[in-house]
Amino acid sequence: MLDALTVAIGVAALALAAWCGFAAWRDQPTKDWHFIGMAVVTVLVLAQLVIGLVKLAQGEKPDEGTVIFVAYLLGAFAAVPAAGMLSLTERTRWGSVTVAAGAVVLAVLEVRLYDIWGTTGA
């Protein structure tokens, strides 16, 4: 896949986690600006999902298997939006904690996606 996009998503996810973690530390719920940040990260992950599926359709194969790769792609795509939806139901600092945790999960998923894809598609 695209290493630069994977790194960009990881960095953006960790920045979102730090931002929402700071809001939680200040005892604040998620605000509109946080949702804009979540949208930016989600658009990056959507691009990764499309690129990954296109590469699979072109015949490239991940080192660790197609099914696990697609499962991780879908999980990565769902991580931040799911956390954002949960933060809407919890309008306290814990909503910000939820988004921060979801963003950290996304960063970890990106590392795993990089490992699953391996060097055959690079």
Side-chain angles (χ1 to χ4, degrees), residues 12-114:
L14 291 175
L16 179 64
W19 188 21
C20 290
F22 183 67
W25 181 69
R26 292 178 46 200
D27 201 25
Q28 296 177 342
T30 50
K31 310 248 176 165
D32 291 344
W33 290 108
H34 295 114
F35 286 98
I36 292 170
M38 287 182 252
V40 168
V41 171
T42 301
V43 167
L44 290 173
V45 178
L46 177 61
Q48 182 183 46
L49 175 67
V50 169
I51 290 168
L53 293 176
V54 166
K55 286 196 175 276
L56 289 174
Q58 291 174 343
E60 294 185 41
K61 299 289 181 205
D63 283 351
E64 295 186 28
T66 302
V67 173
I68 193 79
F69 178 72
V70 171
Y72 270 88
L73 274 178
L74 293 173
F77 180 67
V80 170
M85 293 297 289
L86 285 172
S87 77
L88 286 173
T89 64
E90 184 60 50
R91 299 306 295 161
T92 65
R93 71 185 297 186
W94 296 106
S96 294
V97 170
T98 302
V99 174
V104 169
V105 166
L106 174 60
V108 171
L109 288 172
E110 290 301 312
V111 171
R112 186 67 182 116
L113 274 168
Y114 180 81

